[in-house]
Amino acid sequence: MGKTVLCACEDVTLSEVRRAFARGHRDLESVKRYTGFGTGPCQGRSCQNAVVQELLRLGATPAEITPFTSRPPAHPVTFGTLAALDPSALPLDEGIPLPVLPPPPGPSPSGPLPERADVVIVGGGILGLSLAYELGRRGVRDVVVLERSYLNSGASGRNGGGVRAQWSTPTMVRLGLRSLQLFARFAGETGVNVWFRRGGYLFLAPDAAQVARLERNRAIQAAQGMRTRILSPAQACEVVPELDRSRFVAASWNPDDGVVFPWPFQWGYAAGAERNGATVRTFTPVTGLEISGGLVRSVKTPAGRIRCDTVVNACGAWSPEVARLAGVALPNRPTRHEILVSGPLKPWLGPLVSLLGTGLYFSQSQRGEIVGGMGDPAEPAGIAHGATLRFLARFSRALTDLVPAAAGIPVMRQWAGNYDVTPDNNPILGPAGPANFFQLSGFVGHGFMMAPAVAELMADWMTGREKDEIFDRFGFDRFARGTAVGEDFIIG
Amino acid sequence: MPRLPDPRFATDCTVSVDGRAVPARKGESIASALVAAGRPLLSRSAKYHRPRGPFCLSGSCGSCLVRVDGEPNQRACRTPCQDGLRVETQNGWPDAERDVLGLIDPLTPHGLDVHHMLTRPLPLNRALVAFTRRLAGSGRMPDRPAPRGPEASTETFDALVLGSGPAGLAAAEELARSGRRVLLAEQDLLLGGRLRAGLEPGFAPGSWPADVSRAVAAHGGEVAVGTTAVGLWHDGGEPICLLVARSPARTRLVRASRILVCTGGDARPPVFEGCDLPGVFSGRALALALAEHGVVPGRRAAVLGTGPEAETIVERFRAAGMESVLVAQPPIRATGRSRVTSLGLADGSKIPCDTVAQGAPPAPSPDLLRALGVGVDWNPAFEAFSPRVADDGTTQVAGLFAAGEVARPVSAAAAAAWGRRAGEAARG
């Protein structure tokens, strides 16, 4: 036999836990993500204590064994059962788990900080890490990335992993296509698997207005060589036979879009950036920015101060908070977005499917889970990470209407992340306030898929190479100039 | 001898498992019927295609998933048998027993580093992604649309008591006798929880569950068996519990100003090489299956543990005709192909056995309490996370109470006393 299996759901062995710890994944949230323990049907009920016993033997601190956030439902329940709940009888609230009072002390900063750096990047999500990686490749080695929590704690670790080039403007199509290229070669380049699979994106249009929108987008996409086609319901059902074809009148299909497993990107980019000379520090929040003469001079953290030439704000939903430290008022409005996974199924669903006008989208992960979300028009602005029963009811209704066979599948886990929403649904890139205070935020739920391409362009610009037109188009000053152009193909 | 030769335990229905008929008793779980039939192998595991079978038999682990009447990933231990039920093992080809991909396990003695394997060159990585996608996932998509569940009812009670072990019974009784309208929800079809296994002499349930039921009903309350608390949420700013019953199918949204979580602990798998083999079970669950359905899990059992519960389990197995030994030292490894055949100990000795029963008490189960904001602490004494529950059953969350093994290992008598105090505190 040979193996000591701690997590029977996901086949996680004692030696895999030891390997994760040795690689620096020391806290329970990180060990969970790196090994996969506790992500199966029992959700850690059978294995979390055994993993903690081993981590303590390995030398984990009490703060590092804070239990991972428990995820509802406590027991699997089928989409069909949840679809019977009336969402309108379930008013939105902050969701669960409710905060614990007093909160347990978190892990301390993961290592000493350098006293100075050329570039300090605030935010260890995919945007910040990919920028650190690309800067390193261009010879800027003196880079520090500061992450307030564990890697994958924010939206980069909470999204559904969809990556597409089916957008509505030439700029976004170009960025999407470039990102897809970079996603495809990420594993080979960084040595970390991300399970990129070109299963396509299938957008379903329920009415004539949505069909017109898809037709318009298709023309823009075709101009850049994309293979997007408009399909009849019967043709769409050849791609996904389980769809109820009475629910839509046409579909837009690009077989070259795809899905990835989001977590390893953070590990791959962080390790790659460190190989290129950068320093990545977790559990290190930024508490202040020292400004004089119109420039940010240093970044303050509980672990010390870093003098620097340039600061990049890549904090996603937290970007306005960090910008405020420099006296800059960003217009970003973080908004919760809920998501769930089912138990793992054998492959049946190739593409990511989205039903326009409803916010519903779903795909099948590499592990076989149905991963899906659905935006809620009633959701107020504000950072929130709680999960609601209302979302389970809304999603399950919409999914089982569109895919009736899904009714018998149990839901395993739900959680939430935050979209970083801007007034025109486009990102905010480049300086704001102090001349060396760069923004890399406002991606409205699509930062993950845009990050590789945008990081390349941003690193080019920051190292004195070509300045792409996106930095004019998506500059902070567009709101003052009144030149904002809205992106209308936001999903979820 | 799969079952005790007592007419009380006669089988009365047949379920089909991978096309083969398995005799069963109506109302017992699929997992119980398969243990009685000597066939605990239900699926192959996610990565290494190791054999998997039921462990906890009580809905807290995830290793007994099967396909039932075309619906994938159903817990065999939560699905009651009835005539004609169609059960299929999962993730094995041609089936879980003969699975060809079972070769992955011996071929990867040091495991797989999935994050770093075969990342280049690109064509090889693409092949890896395509191949592992085929391998991944356990259940197959349902063959046909399932009907939507029944419309959910929305109900309000004075108090909601989850779980009917000694703590839940005592809490519900206390609340009912003080005039509160109580909903007592139990996931099994019978009340009593751990008392049903009868492992604590001197604390037999007797007529207590029936007395409590009468008391609850007398004050306008209700006892709902076969009803699982799927979760607690907070929609609308107040705690709300989703309760799901299978047969008859019923979905209920329940609000109550007092919620008492007495759902018991989570069976705790032992940790040693091969601990995940079919044939390794929760001892308490086996004792319950033996007591209620006459299930004799095998011929030779090794019972792990040092406490009185483990000793009683050894006696029960012996009385049922099994060879049974108590194993006080930590095992080193279990061996066997599709089921455990022997247990190796630190002193070099080897115990031939087809059944390993975990006799250690269950671990606390904080998830429902954590949902509403109860904190947990690592308890080094019993090496488990334990929710913060006071001796009077109160928690840091107003209106949320708990008692019994859901919070920490306690005897049945102590759990009952704790449940009573929680009932008093919740009575208000």
Side-chain angles (χ1 to χ4, degrees):
Chain A
M1 274 294 165
K3 296 188 181 79
T4 300
V5 172
L6 293 187
C7 162
C9 299
E10 293 298 325
D11 253 3
V12 178
T13 66
L14 191 59
S15 41
E16 286 167 7
V17 169
R18 289 175 181 161
R19 254 197 323 256
F21 193 79
R23 280 183 172 270
H25 304 275
R26 297 173 56 100
D27 63 288
L28 268 179
E29 294 280 13
S30 297
V31 176
K32 169 186 169 177
R33 283 162 181 77
Y34 194 77
T35 65
F37 98 84
T39 63
C42 98
Q43 301 234 52
R45 284 161 176 258
S46 312
C47 54
Q48 183 160 219
N49 291 320
V51 171
V52 169
Q53 283 173 272
E54 182 57 25
L55 294 181
L56 288 171
R57 273 193 287 273
L58 295 170
T61 64
E64 283 168 339
I65 58 153
T66 304
F68 63 71
T69 309
S70 60
R71 302 274 189 229
H75 293 281
V77 54
T78 62
F79 285 116
T81 300
L82 293 167
L85 303 177
D86 175 9
S88 65
L90 296 165
L92 262 181
D93 82 320
E94 72 266 43
I96 59 161
L98 296 177
V100 177
L101 296 172
S108 38
S110 56
L113 291 175
E115 286 183 8
R116 83 160 300 285
D118 290 345
V119 182
V120 172
I121 298 171
V122 189
I126 192 170
L127 283 158
L129 292 168
S130 59
L131 179 63
Y133 176 76
E134 294 294 347
L135 285 171
R137 292 182 67 206
R138 286 158 183 75
V140 183
R141 299 176 172 277
D142 197 3
V143 177
V144 177
V145 180
L146 300 175
E147 165 56 45
R148 68 204 283 269
S149 185
Y150 54 92
L151 292 189
N152 283 310
S153 58
S156 297
R158 293 169 181 268
N159 67 89
V163 289
R164 64 172 156 118
Q166 283 191 71
W167 285 93
S168 68
T169 61
T171 300
M172 293 299 270
V173 169
R174 171 170 64 91
L175 294 175
L177 282 172
R178 178 60 183 159
S179 273
L180 282 165
Q181 280 177 355
L182 295 172
F183 279 121
R185 65 184 202 214
F186 186 91
E189 195 171 308
T190 66
V192 175
N193 276 314
V194 291
W195 314 105
F196 174 64
R197 180 174 63 81
R198 287 191 194 265
Y201 254 60
L202 188 65
F203 285 107
L204 308 177
D207 54 47
Q210 297 284 9
V211 177
R213 196 174 162 208
L214 290 180
E215 296 273 12
R216 197 178 63 231
N217 291 351
R218 193 205 64 80
I220 292 167
Q221 293 159 15
Q224 295 195 46
M226 284 175 61
R227 299 196 285 164
T228 311
R229 283 195 298 145
I230 303 299
L231 306 183
S232 69
Q235 289 171 315
C237 286
E238 286 170 23
V239 182
V240 182
E242 290 80 3
L243 296 175
D244 176 349
R245 68 181 68 180
S246 72
R247 301 278 170 179
F248 56 99
V249 295
S252 158
W253 163 243
N254 172 31
D256 299 318
D257 293 334
V259 291
V260 295
F261 185 37
W263 294 344
F265 281 93
Q266 277 62 249
W267 306 324
Y269 271 132
E274 292 198 312
R275 272 198 303 275
N276 291 341
T279 303
V280 178
R281 286 289 170 262
T282 51
F283 300 105
T284 310
V286 168
T287 52
L289 298 172
E290 287 175 340
I291 296 165
S292 64
L295 294 172
V296 183
R297 304 292 178 174
S298 70
V299 174
K300 287 196 284 192
T301 82
R305 204 172 63 121
I306 309 174
R307 287 178 289 111
C308 56
D309 298 336
T310 305
V311 174
V312 179
N313 179 9
C315 296
W318 291 271
S319 294
E321 282 180 31
V322 171
R324 257 197 303 279
L325 299 175
V328 176
L330 292 182
N332 310 38
R333 310 260 295 170
T335 308
R336 173 172 63 179
H337 182 85
E338 295 190 63
I339 188 164
L340 58 74
V341 295
S342 74
L345 298 163
K346 287 289 172 201
W348 66 277
L349 177 64
L352 185 146
V353 178
S354 174
L355 181 60
L356 297 177
T358 65
L360 174 75
Y361 68 91
F362 56 93
S363 66
Q364 192 175 18
S365 73
Q366 181 71 12
R367 300 202 315 188
E369 303 131 332
I370 297 176
V371 181
M374 187 171 176
D376 193 331
E379 188 72 52
I383 293 181
H385 283 100
T388 66
L389 188 54
R390 173 187 167 91
F391 163 67
L392 291 185
R394 292 182 72 244
F395 181 90
S396 301
R397 278 196 173 196
L399 178 69
T400 55
D401 280 347
L402 186 60
V403 183
I409 297 170
V411 174
M412 193 162 68
R413 183 167 58 249
Q414 65 173 140
W415 68 94
N418 287 273
Y419 275 21
D420 180 14
V421 182
T422 58
D424 63 353
N425 283 334
N426 277 316
I428 298 177
L429 306 174
N436 65 344
F437 184 47
F438 281 62
Q439 309 306 310
L440 181 54
S441 72
F443 282 88
V444 201
H446 301 89
F448 194 89
M449 65 174 82
M450 289 298 170
V454 173
E456 255 187 353
L457 299 175
M458 184 109 165
D460 277 345
W461 181 34
M462 288 174 69
T463 52
R465 292 170 172 80
E466 187 190 354
K467 182 184 182 190
D468 193 89
E469 56 102 10
I470 60 171
F471 299 104
D472 296 320
R473 184 187 298 267
F474 299 143
F476 177 57
D477 59 354
R478 72 178 183 272
F479 300 107
R481 282 190 279 121
T483 56
V485 179
E487 168 61 51
D488 79 339
F489 215 53
I490 302 297
I491 305 304
Chain B
M1 184 176 60
R3 284 184 206 264
L4 293 176
D6 183 317
R8 283 187 302 146
F9 302 134
T11 56
D12 56 5
C13 67
T14 304
V15 299
S16 143
V17 180
D18 287 341
R20 287 186 284 177
V22 171
R25 286 165 48 74
K26 282 182 188 146
E28 80 171 322
S29 72
I30 294 171
S32 163
L34 283 166
V35 172
R39 294 184 51 189
L41 175 59
L42 302 184
S43 67
R44 290 287 172 154
S45 65
K47 274 198 317 239
Y48 303 120
H49 274 246
R50 291 165 68 86
R52 282 278 171 276
F55 166 72
C56 76
L57 295 158
S58 58
S60 70
C61 78
S63 44
C64 70
L65 303 188
V66 290
R67 184 178 178 88
V68 182
D69 282 345
E71 292 195 358
N73 296 342
Q74 308 293 315
R75 279 185 164 134
C77 75
R78 296 289 93 199
T79 313
C81 290
Q82 58 187 35
D83 246 331
L85 208 64
R86 192 162 48 90
V87 180
E88 295 161 81
T89 61
Q90 295 194 145
N91 205 31
W93 190 85
D95 54 37
E97 182 73 49
R98 293 171 290 176
D99 181 42
V100 173
L101 292 167
L103 278 173
I104 294 174
D105 187 40
L107 290 177
T108 58
H110 304 292
L112 288 168
D113 183 357
V114 292
H115 298 314
H116 301 99
M117 67 186 190
L118 308 181
T119 53
R120 58 176 82 92
L122 187 58
L124 185 62
N125 189 253
R126 277 198 188 133
L128 172 77
V129 172
F131 179 66
T132 54
R133 172 164 152 88
R134 292 275 142 217
L135 239 55
S138 47
R140 278 181 296 115
M141 186 68 177
D143 307 325
R144 55 179 188 279
R148 218 174 234 185
E151 278 306 313
S153 57
T154 303
E155 300 160 67
T156 304
F157 286 82
D158 292 338
L160 171 64
V161 180
L162 302 175
S164 74
L169 284 176
E173 184 170 42
E174 190 62 37
L175 285 159
R177 293 210 192 287
S178 69
R180 301 294 176 194
R181 198 169 152 262
V182 175
L183 176 62
L184 173 61
E186 165 57 48
Q187 66 166 354
D188 285 349
L189 297 173
L190 295 171
L191 298 182
R194 64 198 282 195
L195 299 178
R196 289 156 50 208
L199 289 173
E200 294 192 49
F203 201 84
S207 64
W208 190 27
D211 295 343
V212 174
S213 297
R214 269 193 301 276
V216 167
H219 291 91
E222 182 190 338
V223 174
V225 295
T227 300
T228 302
V230 162
L232 288 168
W233 283 265
H234 202 251
D235 292 54
E238 294 288 336
I240 187 164
C241 184
L242 174 61
L243 292 164
V244 177
R246 176 184 289 267
S247 181
R250 190 168 175 197
T251 306
R252 314 168 74 169
L253 284 172
V254 174
R255 292 191 194 270
S257 52
R258 309 159 181 87
I259 296 176
L260 294 90
V261 179
C262 304
T263 43
D266 293 324
R268 188 169 187 153
V271 176
F272 47 80
E273 199 180 306
C275 60
D276 57 326
L277 271 172
V280 179
F281 301 101
S282 147
R284 193 186 282 182
L286 289 182
L288 180 61
L290 178 60
E292 288 189 345
H293 298 289
V295 174
V296 182
R299 292 204 169 87
R300 283 184 291 269
V303 180
L304 312 179
T306 52
E309 183 162 324
E311 287 166 16
T312 311
I313 293 168
V314 170
E315 286 164 23
R316 291 290 157 79
F317 285 164
R318 286 183 184 153
M322 293 172 77
E323 283 178 36
S324 182
V325 293
L326 188 67
V327 180
Q329 56 173 312
I332 296 297
R333 71 176 58 84
T335 45
R337 271 173 57 85
S338 58
R339 177 173 189 157
V340 59
T341 53
S342 77
L343 190 67
L345 305 181
D347 62 10
S349 63
K350 220 169 180 184
I351 303 170
C353 58
D354 54 16
T355 302
V356 174
Q358 167 66 294
S365 184
D367 282 2
L368 283 173
L369 295 164
R370 289 183 75 198
L372 296 184
V374 174
V376 299
D377 300 295
W378 179 255
N379 188 317
F382 43 89
E383 300 194 299
F385 285 117
S386 175
R388 291 176 203 149
V389 180
D391 281 341
D392 65 355
T394 55
T395 69
Q396 65 205 100
V397 178
L400 184 63
F401 306 82
E405 284 184 325
V406 72
R408 66 177 136 88
V410 284
S411 71
W418 197 354
R420 199 163 301 284
R421 293 194 299 275
E424 283 168 13
R427 203 173 54 193

